[in-house]
Amino acid sequence: MAPAQGQFSDHSDSADSKDKDAAEDLPVPPAFRSAVDALRSARLRPELEVETTRPPQRLAPHAYALEAAVVDGEDDLADGRLVLLHDPAGHDAWQGAFRLVTLVRAELEPEMAADPLLPEVCWSWLTGALDARGLSYGEAGGTVTRAGSHYFGALSARRPATQIEIRASWTPREGRGGVPDAAAHLMAWGDLLCQIAGLPPSDPTDAAVVTLPQRRGPQVS
């Protein structure tokens, strides 16, 4: 996954030009800009390749999205997407002005895929990654889905495969100036990606510095 070249997007992209123009007229709140700047300066493990991507539409007045993959040589061991949402007016369901939304996917080894407690274990990886970094958050919710693939006919030589998918969202607690510790939440999310990819734990102080490039044009998510 090569780094994206493009312009920094402070708002959700819109499919229709009228909505897009309206979104571009929205002033960018300082709290949101600070949170995005923190994401760009986060320290992540060197196995993670991160790029900006087009944010989802209409979920919040302001959104910023990242994609990442855990890479080993030419193999992607896991991949995911993290979206930072911001509504300056606050959101009742979020119980705050910010929300983080994620999708994480990986293929599992057969012995792990057969574990009946796998969904509970995967959910504990998410909450454990946040807790391990001492992060305060609330209103966490999501799903863990296990899907199996069996191959037939011309593909019958392939062994059965099992994929795990975590969809989740949570509200990062805001600190000084109403800004959450977005960098720490991104690092915790990176820990989750590496764990679901099967990598051993790493000392956070050994992480490489990853600087996210700015966008310079539209991207297809």
Side-chain angles (χ1 to χ4, degrees):
M1 184 180 291
Q5 298 296 324
Q7 184 178 357
F8 166 38
S9 173
D10 287 322
H11 54 75
S12 298
D13 290 294
S14 175
D16 108 8
S17 60
K18 182 177 179 181
D19 288 347
K20 184 174 182 179
D21 291 342
E24 289 176 346
D25 290 338
L26 290 175
V28 179
F32 179 70
R33 186 174 292 279
S34 295
V36 171
D37 287 344
L39 289 177
R40 289 174 170 164
S41 64
R43 299 174 61 87
L44 302 175
R45 288 180 58 161
E47 298 92 343
L48 282 166
E49 294 189 359
V50 185
E51 64 182 11
T52 56
T53 188
R54 181 175 179 175
Q57 303 172 22
R58 303 183 181 89
L59 292 183
H62 305 275
Y64 187 78
L66 303 172
E67 288 183 341
V70 181
V71 178
D72 180 18
E74 297 182 354
D75 297 326
D76 285 2
L77 304 180
D79 64 82
R81 190 181 198 202
L82 184 70
V83 182
L84 176 68
L85 304 175
H86 179 54
D87 186 341
H91 196 294
D92 290 342
W94 302 352
Q95 294 295 299
F98 285 88
R99 188 75 170 170
L100 285 160
V101 182
T102 188
L103 165 66
V104 172
R105 298 170 297 201
E107 186 168 320
L108 301 177
E109 293 297 326
E111 58 273 16
M112 187 174 186
D115 187 344
L117 296 179
L118 179 65
E120 289 82 358
V121 170
C122 288
W123 183 256
S124 73
W125 287 348
L126 169 61
T127 57
L130 296 169
D131 295 340
R133 295 216 175 242
L135 293 169
S136 180
Y137 61 96
E139 307 304 317
T143 62
V144 177
T145 304
R146 174 171 43 190
S149 299
H150 296 264
Y151 300 94
F152 300 93
L155 302 178
S156 60
R158 297 186 184 181
R159 67 175 187 174
T162 301
Q163 296 80 33
I164 196 74
E165 178 182 279
I166 303 173
R167 292 179 180 267
S169 62
W170 65 95
T171 298
R173 295 306 182 204
E174 298 161 19
R176 180 175 299 181
V179 182
D181 191 349
H185 281 271
L186 175 57
M187 289 187 286
W189 182 72
D191 295 340
L192 169 65
L193 266 177
C194 290
Q195 187 165 18
I196 201 172
L199 298 186
S202 174
D203 184 344
T205 61
D206 293 336
V209 176
V210 176
T211 301
L212 301 179
Q214 294 191 352
R215 293 177 54 196
R216 298 185 182 177
Q219 294 182 353
V220 178
S221 57

